[in-house]
mmCIF file of all heavy atoms in Angstrom:
data_model
loop_
_atom_site.group_PDB
_atom_site.id
_atom_site.type_symbol
_atom_site.label_atom_id
_atom_site.label_comp_id
_atom_site.label_asym_id
_atom_site.label_seq_id
_atom_site.Cartn_x
_atom_site.Cartn_y
_atom_site.Cartn_z
ATOM 1 N N GLU A 1 7.560 -8.902 -1.746
ATOM 2 C CA GLU A 1 7.056 -7.641 -1.219
ATOM 3 C C GLU A 1 5.699 -7.888 -0.570
ATOM 4 O O GLU A 1 4.881 -8.653 -1.105
ATOM 5 C CB GLU A 1 6.909 -6.582 -2.309
ATOM 6 C CG GLU A 1 8.199 -5.961 -2.787
ATOM 7 C CD GLU A 1 7.951 -4.800 -3.740
ATOM 8 O OE1 GLU A 1 7.594 -3.701 -3.268
ATOM 9 O OE2 GLU A 1 8.108 -5.016 -4.951
ATOM 10 N N LYS A 2 5.472 -7.235 0.548
ATOM 11 C CA LYS A 2 4.183 -7.307 1.239
ATOM 12 C C LYS A 2 3.544 -5.926 1.198
ATOM 13 O O LYS A 2 4.204 -4.921 1.421
ATOM 14 C CB LYS A 2 4.376 -7.737 2.682
ATOM 15 C CG LYS A 2 3.110 -7.669 3.525
ATOM 16 C CD LYS A 2 3.422 -7.806 4.999
ATOM 17 C CE LYS A 2 2.181 -7.581 5.840
ATOM 18 N NZ LYS A 2 2.475 -7.579 7.291
ATOM 19 N N PHE A 3 2.227 -5.883 0.921
ATOM 20 C CA PHE A 3 1.506 -4.617 0.863
ATOM 21 C C PHE A 3 0.384 -4.645 1.899
ATOM 22 O O PHE A 3 -0.621 -5.345 1.715
ATOM 23 C CB PHE A 3 0.945 -4.383 -0.542
ATOM 24 C CG PHE A 3 2.002 -4.394 -1.614
ATOM 25 C CD1 PHE A 3 2.245 -5.539 -2.361
ATOM 26 C CD2 PHE A 3 2.777 -3.264 -1.851
ATOM 27 C CE1 PHE A 3 3.224 -5.559 -3.343
ATOM 28 C CE2 PHE A 3 3.765 -3.271 -2.833
ATOM 29 C CZ PHE A 3 3.992 -4.417 -3.570
ATOM 30 N N SER A 4 0.581 -3.910 2.978
ATOM 31 C CA SER A 4 -0.384 -3.884 4.072
ATOM 32 C C SER A 4 -1.440 -2.809 3.848
ATOM 33 O O SER A 4 -1.314 -1.948 2.972
ATOM 34 C CB SER A 4 0.347 -3.624 5.401
ATOM 35 O OG SER A 4 1.322 -4.606 5.642
ATOM 36 N N TRP A 5 -2.451 -2.849 4.651
ATOM 37 C CA TRP A 5 -3.533 -1.863 4.588
ATOM 38 C C TRP A 5 -2.992 -0.463 4.850
ATOM 39 O O TRP A 5 -2.257 -0.229 5.806
ATOM 40 C CB TRP A 5 -4.585 -2.219 5.625
ATOM 41 C CG TRP A 5 -5.746 -1.274 5.713
ATOM 42 C CD1 TRP A 5 -6.389 -0.679 4.669
ATOM 43 C CD2 TRP A 5 -6.403 -0.834 6.904
ATOM 44 N NE1 TRP A 5 -7.425 0.108 5.130
ATOM 45 C CE2 TRP A 5 -7.463 0.035 6.501
ATOM 46 C CE3 TRP A 5 -6.219 -1.095 8.255
ATOM 47 C CZ2 TRP A 5 -8.311 0.651 7.419
ATOM 48 C CZ3 TRP A 5 -7.072 -0.490 9.170
ATOM 49 C CH2 TRP A 5 -8.105 0.376 8.756
ATOM 50 N N THR A 6 -3.343 0.486 3.999
ATOM 51 C CA THR A 6 -2.870 1.866 4.145
ATOM 52 C C THR A 6 -3.751 2.681 5.080
ATOM 53 O O THR A 6 -3.339 3.730 5.566
ATOM 54 C CB THR A 6 -2.841 2.579 2.780
ATOM 55 O OG1 THR A 6 -4.179 2.624 2.255
ATOM 56 C CG2 THR A 6 -1.932 1.855 1.805
ATOM 57 N N GLY A 7 -4.996 2.215 5.310
ATOM 58 C CA GLY A 7 -5.938 2.977 6.114
ATOM 59 C C GLY A 7 -6.743 3.963 5.283
ATOM 60 O O GLY A 7 -7.601 4.675 5.810
ATOM 61 N N ASP A 8 -6.490 4.009 3.980
ATOM 62 C CA ASP A 8 -7.157 4.984 3.105
ATOM 63 C C ASP A 8 -8.638 4.652 2.913
ATOM 64 O O ASP A 8 -9.477 5.548 2.828
ATOM 65 C CB ASP A 8 -6.451 5.028 1.750
ATOM 66 C CG ASP A 8 -6.866 6.224 0.919
ATOM 67 O OD1 ASP A 8 -6.292 7.303 1.123
ATOM 68 O OD2 ASP A 8 -7.782 6.079 0.082
ATOM 69 N N ASN A 9 -8.957 3.381 2.813
ATOM 70 C CA ASN A 9 -10.357 2.942 2.723
ATOM 71 C C ASN A 9 -10.448 1.520 3.278
ATOM 72 O O ASN A 9 -9.443 0.973 3.737
ATOM 73 C CB ASN A 9 -10.881 3.021 1.273
ATOM 74 C CG ASN A 9 -10.067 2.170 0.314
ATOM 75 O OD1 ASN A 9 -9.786 0.998 0.570
ATOM 76 N ND2 ASN A 9 -9.649 2.754 -0.820
ATOM 77 N N MET A 10 -11.652 0.949 3.244
ATOM 78 C CA MET A 10 -11.862 -0.388 3.805
ATOM 79 C C MET A 10 -12.364 -1.365 2.737
ATOM 80 O O MET A 10 -13.168 -2.246 3.004
ATOM 81 C CB MET A 10 -12.825 -0.322 4.992
ATOM 82 C CG MET A 10 -12.316 0.568 6.105
ATOM 83 S SD MET A 10 -13.351 0.592 7.566
ATOM 84 C CE MET A 10 -13.047 -1.046 8.228
ATOM 85 N N PHE A 11 -11.843 -1.224 1.521
ATOM 86 C CA PHE A 11 -12.214 -2.116 0.424
ATOM 87 C C PHE A 11 -11.289 -3.344 0.434
ATOM 88 O O PHE A 11 -10.451 -3.504 -0.460
ATOM 89 C CB PHE A 11 -12.108 -1.385 -0.921
ATOM 90 C CG PHE A 11 -12.962 -0.141 -1.005
ATOM 91 C CD1 PHE A 11 -12.592 0.905 -1.832
ATOM 92 C CD2 PHE A 11 -14.138 -0.027 -0.277
ATOM 93 C CE1 PHE A 11 -13.374 2.056 -1.937
ATOM 94 C CE2 PHE A 11 -14.933 1.113 -0.367
ATOM 95 C CZ PHE A 11 -14.548 2.162 -1.192
ATOM 96 N N PHE A 12 -11.483 -4.199 1.420
ATOM 97 C CA PHE A 12 -10.557 -5.332 1.582
ATOM 98 C C PHE A 12 -10.858 -6.477 0.601
ATOM 99 O O PHE A 12 -10.039 -6.806 -0.249
ATOM 100 C CB PHE A 12 -10.605 -5.843 3.019
ATOM 101 C CG PHE A 12 -10.178 -4.837 4.034
ATOM 102 C CD1 PHE A 12 -11.073 -4.326 4.956
ATOM 103 C CD2 PHE A 12 -8.869 -4.372 4.066
ATOM 104 C CE1 PHE A 12 -10.686 -3.393 5.896
ATOM 105 C CE2 PHE A 12 -8.454 -3.433 5.003
ATOM 106 C CZ PHE A 12 -9.383 -2.942 5.917
ATOM 107 N N ILE A 13 -12.035 -7.081 0.735
ATOM 108 C CA ILE A 13 -12.370 -8.270 -0.070
ATOM 109 C C ILE A 13 -13.814 -8.147 -0.538
ATOM 110 O O ILE A 13 -14.694 -7.700 0.215
ATOM 111 C CB ILE A 13 -12.229 -9.568 0.757
ATOM 112 C CG1 ILE A 13 -10.912 -9.579 1.535
ATOM 113 C CG2 ILE A 13 -12.340 -10.800 -0.138
ATOM 114 C CD1 ILE A 13 -10.918 -10.543 2.709
ATOM 115 N N LYS A 14 -14.070 -8.574 -1.760
ATOM 116 C CA LYS A 14 -15.440 -8.608 -2.277
ATOM 117 C C LYS A 14 -15.597 -9.843 -3.144
ATOM 118 O O LYS A 14 -14.759 -10.117 -4.010
ATOM 119 C CB LYS A 14 -15.755 -7.354 -3.098
ATOM 120 C CG LYS A 14 -17.208 -7.264 -3.542
ATOM 121 C CD LYS A 14 -17.462 -5.996 -4.339
ATOM 122 C CE LYS A 14 -18.947 -5.826 -4.668
ATOM 123 N NZ LYS A 14 -19.522 -6.993 -5.363
ATOM 124 N N GLY A 15 -16.676 -10.596 -2.890
ATOM 125 C CA GLY A 15 -16.875 -11.819 -3.657
ATOM 126 C C GLY A 15 -18.291 -11.988 -4.154
ATOM 127 O O GLY A 15 -19.251 -11.694 -3.424
ATOM 128 N N ASP A 16 -18.457 -12.446 -5.362
ATOM 129 C CA ASP A 16 -19.758 -12.875 -5.890
ATOM 130 C C ASP A 16 -19.499 -14.054 -6.814
ATOM 131 O O ASP A 16 -18.361 -14.541 -6.906
ATOM 132 C CB ASP A 16 -20.509 -11.725 -6.594
ATOM 133 C CG ASP A 16 -19.686 -11.068 -7.702
ATOM 134 O OD1 ASP A 16 -18.941 -11.797 -8.395
ATOM 135 O OD2 ASP A 16 -19.786 -9.840 -7.873
ATOM 136 N N MET A 17 -20.528 -14.525 -7.482
ATOM 137 C CA MET A 17 -20.359 -15.713 -8.310
ATOM 138 C C MET A 17 -19.592 -15.436 -9.597
ATOM 139 O O MET A 17 -19.190 -16.366 -10.298
ATOM 140 C CB MET A 17 -21.736 -16.314 -8.657
ATOM 141 C CG MET A 17 -22.530 -16.753 -7.435
ATOM 142 S SD MET A 17 -21.602 -17.809 -6.288
ATOM 143 C CE MET A 17 -21.286 -19.234 -7.293
ATOM 144 N N ASP A 18 -19.384 -14.154 -9.882
ATOM 145 C CA ASP A 18 -18.691 -13.808 -11.129
ATOM 146 C C ASP A 18 -17.218 -13.457 -10.934
ATOM 147 O O ASP A 18 -16.437 -13.475 -11.888
ATOM 148 C CB ASP A 18 -19.390 -12.617 -11.806
ATOM 149 C CG ASP A 18 -20.806 -12.961 -12.243
ATOM 150 O OD1 ASP A 18 -21.013 -14.090 -12.738
ATOM 151 O OD2 ASP A 18 -21.697 -12.108 -12.073
ATOM 152 N N ALA A 19 -16.849 -13.093 -9.705
ATOM 153 C CA ALA A 19 -15.463 -12.666 -9.488
ATOM 154 C C ALA A 19 -15.133 -12.610 -8.001
ATOM 155 O O ALA A 19 -16.019 -12.539 -7.146
ATOM 156 C CB ALA A 19 -15.225 -11.289 -10.117
ATOM 157 N N LEU A 20 -13.837 -12.625 -7.723
ATOM 158 C CA LEU A 20 -13.305 -12.431 -6.372
ATOM 159 C C LEU A 20 -12.279 -11.308 -6.483
ATOM 160 O O LEU A 20 -11.376 -11.366 -7.319
ATOM 161 C CB LEU A 20 -12.643 -13.709 -5.860
ATOM 162 C CG LEU A 20 -11.966 -13.634 -4.485
ATOM 163 C CD1 LEU A 20 -12.977 -13.328 -3.380
ATOM 164 C CD2 LEU A 20 -11.237 -14.954 -4.179
ATOM 165 N N ALA A 21 -12.429 -10.265 -5.621
ATOM 166 C CA ALA A 21 -11.572 -9.089 -5.770
ATOM 167 C C ALA A 21 -11.027 -8.613 -4.429
ATOM 168 O O ALA A 21 -11.649 -8.817 -3.379
ATOM 169 C CB ALA A 21 -12.351 -7.958 -6.447
ATOM 170 N N PHE A 22 -9.863 -7.968 -4.510
ATOM 171 C CA PHE A 22 -9.208 -7.399 -3.327
ATOM 172 C C PHE A 22 -8.867 -5.943 -3.595
ATOM 173 O O PHE A 22 -8.345 -5.612 -4.666
ATOM 174 C CB PHE A 22 -7.908 -8.149 -3.007
ATOM 175 C CG PHE A 22 -8.082 -9.612 -2.737
ATOM 176 C CD1 PHE A 22 -8.165 -10.507 -3.799
ATOM 177 C CD2 PHE A 22 -8.154 -10.090 -1.435
ATOM 178 C CE1 PHE A 22 -8.316 -11.857 -3.559
ATOM 179 C CE2 PHE A 22 -8.310 -11.441 -1.199
ATOM 180 C CZ PHE A 22 -8.399 -12.326 -2.258
ATOM 181 N N GLY A 23 -9.107 -5.083 -2.597
ATOM 182 C CA GLY A 23 -8.695 -3.690 -2.703
ATOM 183 C C GLY A 23 -9.554 -2.897 -3.671
ATOM 184 O O GLY A 23 -10.319 -3.447 -4.466
ATOM 185 N N GLY A 24 -9.427 -1.586 -3.588
ATOM 186 C CA GLY A 24 -10.190 -0.724 -4.464
ATOM 187 C C GLY A 24 -9.792 0.731 -4.281
ATOM 188 O O GLY A 24 -8.892 1.056 -3.500
ATOM 189 N N GLY A 25 -10.502 1.587 -4.990
ATOM 190 C CA GLY A 25 -10.183 3.007 -4.961
ATOM 191 C C GLY A 25 -9.555 3.410 -6.280
ATOM 192 O O GLY A 25 -8.614 2.758 -6.740
ATOM 193 N N GLY A 26 -10.096 4.443 -6.886
ATOM 194 C CA GLY A 26 -9.557 4.875 -8.177
ATOM 195 C C GLY A 26 -10.088 4.057 -9.329
ATOM 196 O O GLY A 26 -9.556 4.109 -10.439
ATOM 197 N N GLY A 27 -11.141 3.254 -9.066
ATOM 198 C CA GLY A 27 -11.759 2.484 -10.148
ATOM 199 C C GLY A 27 -11.052 1.199 -10.514
ATOM 200 O O GLY A 27 -11.401 0.556 -11.506
ATOM 201 N N GLU A 28 -10.047 0.789 -9.737
ATOM 202 C CA GLU A 28 -9.306 -0.442 -10.052
ATOM 203 C C GLU A 28 -9.184 -1.328 -8.820
ATOM 204 O O GLU A 28 -9.085 -0.838 -7.689
ATOM 205 C CB GLU A 28 -7.901 -0.109 -10.561
ATOM 206 C CG GLU A 28 -7.867 0.656 -11.880
ATOM 207 C CD GLU A 28 -8.198 -0.219 -13.084
ATOM 208 O OE1 GLU A 28 -8.310 -1.449 -12.907
ATOM 209 O OE2 GLU A 28 -8.333 0.332 -14.186
ATOM 210 N N PHE A 29 -9.194 -2.637 -9.037
ATOM 211 C CA PHE A 29 -8.940 -3.597 -7.969
ATOM 212 C C PHE A 29 -7.440 -3.895 -7.906
ATOM 213 O O PHE A 29 -6.754 -3.882 -8.925
ATOM 214 C CB PHE A 29 -9.689 -4.901 -8.218
ATOM 215 C CG PHE A 29 -11.187 -4.770 -8.186
ATOM 216 C CD1 PHE A 29 -11.937 -5.025 -9.327
ATOM 217 C CD2 PHE A 29 -11.849 -4.392 -7.022
ATOM 218 C CE1 PHE A 29 -13.318 -4.917 -9.320
ATOM 219 C CE2 PHE A 29 -13.231 -4.275 -6.994
ATOM 220 C CZ PHE A 29 -13.968 -4.537 -8.139
ATOM 221 N N ALA A 30 -6.975 -4.190 -6.701
ATOM 222 C CA ALA A 30 -5.573 -4.592 -6.569
ATOM 223 C C ALA A 30 -5.359 -5.971 -7.184
ATOM 224 O O ALA A 30 -4.353 -6.234 -7.841
ATOM 225 C CB ALA A 30 -5.168 -4.602 -5.105
ATOM 226 N N LEU A 31 -6.355 -6.860 -6.964
ATOM 227 C CA LEU A 31 -6.292 -8.216 -7.518
ATOM 228 C C LEU A 31 -7.717 -8.657 -7.818
ATOM 229 O O LEU A 31 -8.595 -8.566 -6.961
ATOM 230 C CB LEU A 31 -5.622 -9.167 -6.523
ATOM 231 C CG LEU A 31 -5.452 -10.625 -6.961
ATOM 232 C CD1 LEU A 31 -4.598 -10.726 -8.221
ATOM 233 C CD2 LEU A 31 -4.824 -11.449 -5.835
ATOM 234 N N TRP A 32 -7.934 -9.140 -9.030
ATOM 235 C CA TRP A 32 -9.263 -9.561 -9.467
ATOM 236 C C TRP A 32 -9.151 -10.894 -10.206
ATOM 237 O O TRP A 32 -8.289 -11.070 -11.068
ATOM 238 C CB TRP A 32 -9.847 -8.498 -10.400
ATOM 239 C CG TRP A 32 -11.183 -8.824 -11.002
ATOM 240 C CD1 TRP A 32 -12.409 -8.543 -10.493
ATOM 241 C CD2 TRP A 32 -11.407 -9.486 -12.261
ATOM 242 N NE1 TRP A 32 -13.400 -8.987 -11.346
ATOM 243 C CE2 TRP A 32 -12.801 -9.570 -12.442
ATOM 244 C CE3 TRP A 32 -10.556 -10.010 -13.248
ATOM 245 C CZ2 TRP A 32 -13.375 -10.159 -13.563
ATOM 246 C CZ3 TRP A 32 -11.125 -10.602 -14.362
ATOM 247 C CH2 TRP A 32 -12.518 -10.675 -14.515
ATOM 248 N N LEU A 33 -10.029 -11.850 -9.838
ATOM 249 C CA LEU A 33 -10.062 -13.162 -10.478
ATOM 250 C C LEU A 33 -11.471 -13.410 -10.985
ATOM 251 O O LEU A 33 -12.451 -13.138 -10.268
ATOM 252 C CB LEU A 33 -9.676 -14.266 -9.481
ATOM 253 C CG LEU A 33 -8.374 -14.077 -8.683
ATOM 254 C CD1 LEU A 33 -8.181 -15.241 -7.719
ATOM 255 C CD2 LEU A 33 -7.182 -13.931 -9.606
ATOM 256 N N ASP A 34 -11.614 -13.942 -12.188
ATOM 257 C CA ASP A 34 -12.954 -14.166 -12.731
ATOM 258 C C ASP A 34 -13.573 -15.450 -12.177
ATOM 259 O O ASP A 34 -12.924 -16.231 -11.466
ATOM 260 C CB ASP A 34 -12.935 -14.168 -14.265
ATOM 261 C CG ASP A 34 -12.310 -15.425 -14.865
ATOM 262 O OD1 ASP A 34 -11.847 -16.301 -14.100
ATOM 263 O OD2 ASP A 34 -12.262 -15.511 -16.113
ATOM 264 N N GLY A 35 -14.855 -15.656 -12.501
ATOM 265 C CA GLY A 35 -15.599 -16.783 -11.950
ATOM 266 C C GLY A 35 -15.079 -18.144 -12.369
ATOM 267 O O GLY A 35 -15.319 -19.152 -11.689
ATOM 268 N N ASP A 36 -14.387 -18.218 -13.481
ATOM 269 C CA ASP A 36 -13.822 -19.485 -13.949
ATOM 270 C C ASP A 36 -12.404 -19.711 -13.423
ATOM 271 O O ASP A 36 -11.779 -20.730 -13.736
ATOM 272 C CB ASP A 36 -13.795 -19.514 -15.481
ATOM 273 C CG ASP A 36 -15.197 -19.514 -16.074
ATOM 274 O OD1 ASP A 36 -16.088 -20.141 -15.472
ATOM 275 O OD2 ASP A 36 -15.385 -18.865 -17.126
ATOM 276 N N LEU A 37 -11.913 -18.727 -12.679
ATOM 277 C CA LEU A 37 -10.531 -18.769 -12.171
ATOM 278 C C LEU A 37 -9.553 -19.029 -13.315
ATOM 279 O O LEU A 37 -8.631 -19.838 -13.200
ATOM 280 C CB LEU A 37 -10.388 -19.842 -11.078
ATOM 281 C CG LEU A 37 -11.247 -19.628 -9.827
ATOM 282 C CD1 LEU A 37 -10.981 -20.728 -8.809
ATOM 283 C CD2 LEU A 37 -11.007 -18.259 -9.217
ATOM 284 N N TYR A 38 -9.803 -18.314 -14.401
ATOM 285 C CA TYR A 38 -8.945 -18.450 -15.575
ATOM 286 C C TYR A 38 -8.250 -17.126 -15.898
ATOM 287 O O TYR A 38 -7.038 -17.089 -16.095
ATOM 288 C CB TYR A 38 -9.770 -18.911 -16.779
ATOM 289 C CG TYR A 38 -8.944 -19.113 -18.031
ATOM 290 C CD1 TYR A 38 -8.072 -20.196 -18.141
ATOM 291 C CD2 TYR A 38 -9.037 -18.221 -19.111
ATOM 292 C CE1 TYR A 38 -7.301 -20.381 -19.286
ATOM 293 C CE2 TYR A 38 -8.280 -18.399 -20.254
ATOM 294 C CZ TYR A 38 -7.410 -19.479 -20.338
ATOM 295 O OH TYR A 38 -6.647 -19.651 -21.461
ATOM 296 N N HIS A 39 -9.013 -16.063 -15.927
ATOM 297 C CA HIS A 39 -8.446 -14.735 -16.168
ATOM 298 C C HIS A 39 -8.285 -13.984 -14.849
ATOM 299 O O HIS A 39 -9.090 -14.122 -13.932
ATOM 300 C CB HIS A 39 -9.339 -13.909 -17.104
ATOM 301 C CG HIS A 39 -9.332 -14.379 -18.512
ATOM 302 N ND1 HIS A 39 -10.339 -15.155 -19.067
ATOM 303 C CD2 HIS A 39 -8.418 -14.201 -19.505
ATOM 304 C CE1 HIS A 39 -10.059 -15.420 -20.325
ATOM 305 N NE2 HIS A 39 -8.903 -14.866 -20.622
ATOM 306 N N GLY A 40 -7.244 -13.168 -14.802
ATOM 307 C CA GLY A 40 -7.016 -12.328 -13.631
ATOM 308 C C GLY A 40 -6.463 -10.979 -14.036
ATOM 309 O O GLY A 40 -5.992 -10.792 -15.165
ATOM 310 N N ARG A 41 -6.531 -10.031 -13.087
ATOM 311 C CA ARG A 41 -6.005 -8.694 -13.354
ATOM 312 C C ARG A 41 -5.466 -8.115 -12.053
ATOM 313 O O ARG A 41 -6.006 -8.345 -10.972
ATOM 314 C CB ARG A 41 -7.100 -7.788 -13.912
ATOM 315 C CG ARG A 41 -6.643 -6.378 -14.271
ATOM 316 C CD ARG A 41 -7.772 -5.533 -14.857
ATOM 317 N NE ARG A 41 -8.307 -6.144 -16.068
ATOM 318 C CZ ARG A 41 -9.575 -6.555 -16.203
ATOM 319 N NH1 ARG A 41 -10.428 -6.405 -15.200
ATOM 320 N NH2 ARG A 41 -9.978 -7.091 -17.340
ATOM 321 N N SER A 42 -4.381 -7.366 -12.154
ATOM 322 C CA SER A 42 -3.805 -6.703 -10.985
ATOM 323 C C SER A 42 -3.474 -5.258 -11.333
ATOM 324 O O SER A 42 -2.987 -4.974 -12.438
ATOM 325 C CB SER A 42 -2.536 -7.427 -10.514
ATOM 326 O OG SER A 42 -1.963 -6.757 -9.407
ATOM 327 N N HIS A 43 -3.747 -4.366 -10.365
ATOM 328 C CA HIS A 43 -3.510 -2.946 -10.596
ATOM 329 C C HIS A 43 -3.201 -2.300 -9.247
ATOM 330 O O HIS A 43 -3.593 -2.809 -8.188
ATOM 331 C CB HIS A 43 -4.740 -2.308 -11.238
ATOM 332 C CG HIS A 43 -4.479 -0.990 -11.892
ATOM 333 N ND1 HIS A 43 -4.454 0.191 -11.188
ATOM 334 C CD2 HIS A 43 -4.226 -0.671 -13.202
ATOM 335 C CE1 HIS A 43 -4.197 1.187 -12.017
ATOM 336 N NE2 HIS A 43 -4.049 0.689 -13.251
ATOM 337 N N SER A 44 -2.524 -1.183 -9.262
ATOM 338 C CA SER A 44 -2.277 -0.457 -8.014
ATOM 339 C C SER A 44 -3.605 0.072 -7.474
ATOM 340 O O SER A 44 -4.526 0.378 -8.248
ATOM 341 C CB SER A 44 -1.304 0.705 -8.259
ATOM 342 O OG SER A 44 -1.842 1.609 -9.214
ATOM 343 N N CYS A 45 -3.725 0.161 -6.142
ATOM 344 C CA CYS A 45 -4.950 0.680 -5.546
ATOM 345 C C CYS A 45 -4.633 1.364 -4.220
ATOM 346 O O CYS A 45 -3.566 1.167 -3.643
ATOM 347 C CB CYS A 45 -5.987 -0.429 -5.351
ATOM 348 S SG CYS A 45 -5.715 -1.429 -3.874
ATOM 349 N N LYS A 46 -5.607 2.160 -3.738
ATOM 350 C CA LYS A 46 -5.395 2.947 -2.535
ATOM 351 C C LYS A 46 -5.473 2.113 -1.262
ATOM 352 O O LYS A 46 -4.876 2.463 -0.241
ATOM 353 C CB LYS A 46 -6.426 4.077 -2.473
ATOM 354 C CG LYS A 46 -6.268 5.116 -3.576
ATOM 355 C CD LYS A 46 -7.295 6.234 -3.428
ATOM 356 C CE LYS A 46 -7.104 7.292 -4.507
ATOM 357 N NZ LYS A 46 -8.087 8.394 -4.375
#
């Protein structure tokens, strides 16, 4: 399955030394990876 940009917001990618994240809206990231690239989380987002 492919999930393209909905146009709802522009929360595409965000990176810092603690995490790398994709998507947002509603308080959840679509895909989140921690700084050690060991733990991850995925959730629906706008």
Side-chain angles (χ1 to χ4, degrees):
E1 285 187 77
K2 173 193 174 186
F3 303 97
S4 302
W5 178 40
T6 62
D8 194 84
N9 59 48
M10 300 184 71
F11 302 152
F12 298 114
I13 313 160
K14 186 179 186 305
D16 55 36
M17 299 310 296
D18 296 320
L20 177 63
F22 301 83
E28 296 286 352
F29 295 116
L31 181 60
W32 177 90
L33 309 178
D34 73 358
D36 294 324
L37 298 182
Y38 182 72
H39 289 101
R41 182 179 300 118
S42 178
H43 198 277
S44 60
C45 81
K46 294 182 178 180

